[in-house]
Amino acid sequence: MRQKIMTRNPVLENYPEIEIEYIEHELEPRTATLAKGYDAICAFVSADVGAETLKILHEAGVKTVLMRCAGFNNVDVEKAKELGIAVKRVPGYSPESVAEHAMALALAVNRRLYKAYNKVRENDYTLNGLRGVNFYGKTAGIVGTGKIGAAMCRICKGFGMRVIAYDVYKNPSLEEFVEYVSLDELLAQSDLISLHCPLMDSTYHLINLENIKKMKDGVILVNTSRGALIDTNELIEGIRLKKFLGVGLDVYEEETGNVYEDRSDEIMEHSVTARLLAFPNVIITSHQGFYTLEALNAIADTTLQNLMDAKNGLRTDNDVA
Ligand code: NAI
């Protein structure tokens, strides 16, 4: 039997039974009808997989929703269960992809690579504004030591840093070189702070002005986890207080509506992101931490295996409905 799904992937040759049709449009109620005649549909973080979309997919005969990401907050799981639609996801793919991007942001902001790149292109070979610090011998504070945080701990260790961490659970694989401390101790001792905990009620605005004031002067702060871990307005206050050597963000509170869109011709009327970008010691990327060849291949492989499992009626840890 040939399975048909609607998305794009690079490891398809390992799954000869699967046939794919790609469409550019986002999955939402208006586009869900296009799935008619397909066994499964594949969607990403920005798709609308709410009750209305699921109802239309059900009427179109779709039996499986394949989320090619870990998060599924955009899926109405209860509705999917009610309609008998299986929903499968990719809980972990390549933690190093995100951790390496976190270190890339830390290095880029420390050595002002974005400035240096433009200066040399402008025939300006001066070093003004480019002085950084060594990471070697400094202290890295990792908040959240799950899969990605643990990879970041290993990277920081490789740079010759002392690594301290804060988490609600200790990760036994790190016990040889990571010292767990309280959040306040981590804030007070770290030269580089990298956030890798999930966004929950207890972590919302974890980095606010009160906590920023507990940090060392000249700290580098990196967030590749979720934007709302940081109170952006209070971060801006902290930057104005000259707390930070640098701030590197792959995620930020206002990113919904921006992520993967070209808005270069628009005038942003009320953008705190634009205010952040006005600082010379801030670098922002747009949710690209996961975006490496290895991570994409791992996501594609798991997604295609999820479809085969669905076809064979197998339930696994990747099932959310
Ligand atoms: P994980 O579930 O393996 O690890 C999360 C860790 O955070 C766990 O050790 C957990 O105990 C800890 N934690 C929970 N509550 C905490 C708290 N209140 N304080 C401190 N630590 C706490 O998750 P993983 O795979 O390492 O992902 C981490 C985050 O990275 C995700 O939540 C997601 O938001 C983000 N992410 C970002 C991507 C990007 O492209 N920028 C891609 C993938 C994930």
Side-chain angles (χ1 to χ4, degrees), residues 93 146-148 167 196 198 200 203 224-226 250 287 290:
Y93 30 96
K147 292 180 284 299
I148 297 170
D167 196 317
H196 299 287
M200 302 177 295
T203 56
T224 55
S225 196
R226 283 293 178 266
D250 189 45
H287 217 127
F290 75 97

Side-chain angles (χ1 to χ4, degrees), residues 70 91-93 95 97-98 101 143-150 166-171 180 183 195-200 202-203 206 223-226 229 250-251 260 287-291:
Y93 30 96
S97 65
V98 184
H101 190 64
V143 180
T145 52
K147 292 180 284 299
I148 297 170
Y166 167 72
D167 196 317
V168 284
Y169 301 104
K170 288 185 182 175
N171 182 334
Y180 280 91
L183 181 61
L195 306 180
H196 299 287
C197 58
L199 177 62
M200 302 177 295
S202 59
T203 56
L206 182 76
N223 187 10
T224 55
S225 196
R226 283 293 178 266
L229 292 177
D250 189 45
V251 291
Y260 316 137
H287 217 127
Q288 68 174 77
F290 75 97
Y291 197 50

Side-chain angles (χ1 to χ4, degrees), residues 149-273:
M152 185 62 175
C153 288
R154 291 191 291 271
I155 290 171
C156 292
K157 167 83 175 144
F159 270 72
M161 303 182 84
R162 171 184 170 232
V163 186
I164 60 175
Y166 167 72
D167 196 317
V168 284
Y169 301 104
K170 288 185 182 175
N171 182 334
S173 75
L174 302 173
E175 69 186 17
E176 275 182 20
F177 66 95
V178 172
E179 183 191 339
Y180 280 91
V181 295
S182 69
L183 181 61
D184 278 359
E185 286 172 298
L186 182 144
L187 296 172
Q189 294 177 25
S190 301
D191 301 288
L192 164 63
I193 297 175
S194 195
L195 306 180
H196 299 287
C197 58
L199 177 62
M200 302 177 295
D201 287 347
S202 59
T203 56
Y204 178 77
H205 285 182
L206 182 76
I207 303 299
N208 49 28
L209 193 58
E210 191 188 339
N211 279 340
I212 289 171
K213 285 182 176 166
K214 293 175 189 165
M215 296 177 189
K216 271 185 171 181
D217 289 342
V219 65
I220 293 177
L221 174 67
V222 171
N223 187 10
T224 55
S225 196
R226 283 293 178 266
L229 292 177
I230 299 180
D231 182 326
T232 312
N233 284 310
E234 298 199 1
L235 174 66
I236 289 170
E237 266 186 86
I239 294 170
R240 291 200 172 119
L241 290 172
K242 304 201 170 59
K243 256 302 180 188
F244 299 98
L245 173 63
V247 175
L249 306 175
D250 189 45
V251 291
Y252 53 94
E253 285 187 291
E254 278 184 348
E255 72 178 49
T256 308
N258 288 358
V259 173
Y260 316 137
E261 297 294 327
D262 178 0
R263 305 185 66 188
S264 52
D265 212 24
E266 288 179 40
I267 293 167
M268 302 297 199
E269 284 173 29
H270 307 288
S271 170
V272 284
T273 316

